[in-house]
Amino acid sequence: QVQLQQSGPGLVKPSQTLSLTCAISGDSVSSNSGTWNWIRQSPSRGLEWLGRTYYRSKWYNEYALSVKSRITINPDTSKNQFSLQLSSVTPEDTAVYYCASGHFGSGWGSWGQGTLVTVSS
Amino acid sequence: QSVLTQPPSVSGAPGQRVTISCTGSNSNIGAGHDVHWYQQLPGIAPKLLIYGNNNRPSGVPDRFSGSKSGTSASLAITGLQAEDEADYYCQSYDSSLSGGIFGGGTTLTVL
């Protein structure tokens, strides 16, 4: 059973970079079947998939068009975790951020606990 | 506005059957991409309820079922229980957007 544990600050200033980490237990970020995702939820935007990283003989990253110019998702094989960086944040980026894992065609069966990130000066 | 359209709310009495619809387009559900359903209780991360259109993860009661046809999908809940009160979201993949997409969510009220 995969468990995901999120960490990172809950307050970020406008124009700065939001950074969160998701530690994995019960699976490997380098597995050839898993996908490692970031999703956010806000009252105004609902649930929004932000992007994912996965390994299939090489690393792949895919990002939502809405944040593609500002987002980076990186795997960290030494710590078995993956991270989210979202640059140039505005108050519109205020949301609960989740990491989630799954397999192609099987949905996201494991979720982190969620982190409320507020963008405010 | 979400790419997948769900009714904002549905309700039913205990023991009844309710369905939640999820309408997409030819670039997502109609393109053959799988539909997944999630249940979310207040303040908690979404929980996978149905995957691959009509499959239940281990531990999900068989009162929950999913179906898909054309550009739409549906979640059915039979034998409604008070504990089923929650928000429900459909999710799929969109070829035009090259990414995951969600419905706007449906709040289920058990009367």
Side-chain angles (χ1 to χ4, degrees), chain A residues 39 41 45 47-49 52 62-63 65 98 105-109 111-113, chain B residues 34 36 38 40 44-46 48 51-52 89 91 93 96-100 102:
Chain A
I39 295 154
Q41 185 174 29
R45 303 172 74 98
L47 281 166
E48 181 183 14
W49 175 82
R52 64 184 175 187
E62 296 171 354
Y63 301 129
L65 296 179
Y98 294 101
S106 297
W108 299 313
W111 291 67
Q113 77 275 24
Chain B
D34 287 330
H36 317 295
Y38 300 85
Q40 187 176 32
I44 300 176
L48 183 63
Y51 69 92
Y89 295 89
Q91 181 255 312
Y93 182 89
S96 298
L97 300 174
S98 297
F102 284 96

Side-chain angles (χ1 to χ4, degrees), chain B residues 75-99:
Chain B
L75 172 71
I77 310 172
T78 59
L80 210 54
Q81 300 179 3
E83 67 200 48
D84 298 333
E85 269 205 354
D87 292 330
Y88 293 84
Y89 295 89
C90 59
Q91 181 255 312
S92 186
Y93 182 89
D94 191 281
S95 302
S96 298
L97 300 174
S98 297

Side-chain angles (χ1 to χ4, degrees), chain B residues 31-76:
Chain B
H33 295 299
D34 287 330
V35 177
H36 317 295
W37 291 89
Y38 300 85
Q39 177 192 60
Q40 187 176 32
L41 297 171
I44 300 176
K47 169 192 170 184
L48 183 63
L49 203 61
I50 297 288
Y51 69 92
N53 306 313
N54 55 15
N55 301 287
R56 286 185 309 278
S58 173
V60 173
D62 60 6
R63 302 186 295 105
F64 295 90
S65 63
S67 63
K68 173 187 160 183
S69 178
T71 58
S72 296
S74 288
L75 172 71

Side-chain angles (χ1 to χ4, degrees), chain A residues 9-65:
Chain A
L11 181 64
V12 181
K13 288 180 167 44
S15 80
Q16 294 192 341
T17 297
L18 179 162
S19 296
L20 296 173
T21 299
C22 184
I24 305 163
S25 58
D27 199 352
S28 169
V29 71
S30 304
S31 80
N32 267 296
S33 60
T35 67
W36 310 97
N37 302 259
W38 286 99
I39 295 154
R40 68 182 177 184
Q41 185 174 29
S42 65
S44 60
R45 303 172 74 98
L47 281 166
E48 181 183 14
W49 175 82
L50 299 176
R52 64 184 175 187
T53 189
Y54 57 93
Y55 185 78
R56 300 291 185 272
S57 301
K58 69 174 185 176
W59 287 102
Y60 293 86
N61 290 308
E62 296 171 354
Y63 301 129
L65 296 179

